Amino acid sequence: MAKFMDVHSGFVGVTPEQLADAHEADLKIEAEEGVHFERAWLDPESGKVFCLSTGPSKEAVLRIHERAGHPTTEIYEVTTEV
């Protein structure tokens, strides 16, 4: 499985609880696309959320985020790890 990091904008002022709810929405349907969302990080001041996932393709990850209600167009395949 490939690893992906995606970036969401527009989450200014979001609380940790709201981030957990958004992450849970992904987890509820992730298996339908063979995706697994490992972790999410939030910077509430800039409104950025970063998600690490594994899955068969970038498109599969994007479809889950879209269906869960927080689409993004910024996603990167992470191919090198140290």
Side-chain angles (χ1 to χ4, degrees), residues 1 15 41 43 61 74-75:
M1 283 288 171
T15 66
W41 296 269
D43 176 355
V61 173
E74 194 173 352
I75 184 169

Side-chain angles (χ1 to χ4, degrees), residues 9-77:
S9 298
F11 284 78
V12 174
V14 166
T15 66
E17 293 80 15
Q18 291 169 312
L19 176 63
D21 289 344
H23 184 65
E24 184 62 32
D26 288 322
L27 296 178
K28 284 182 181 177
I29 60 173
E30 67 182 10
E32 296 173 20
E33 293 276 358
V35 171
H36 177 61
F37 289 93
E38 312 237 347
R39 221 169 258 298
W41 296 269
L42 167 67
D43 176 355
E45 289 183 27
S46 70
K48 299 287 185 183
V49 170
F50 307 89
C51 299
L52 178 65
S53 61
T54 57
S57 69
K58 176 192 299 190
E59 292 77 20
V61 173
L62 293 175
R63 283 192 296 270
I64 292 296
H65 274 324
E66 185 172 302
R67 290 177 49 211
H70 37 268
T72 185
T73 58
E74 194 173 352
I75 184 169
Y76 306 94
E77 185 170 356

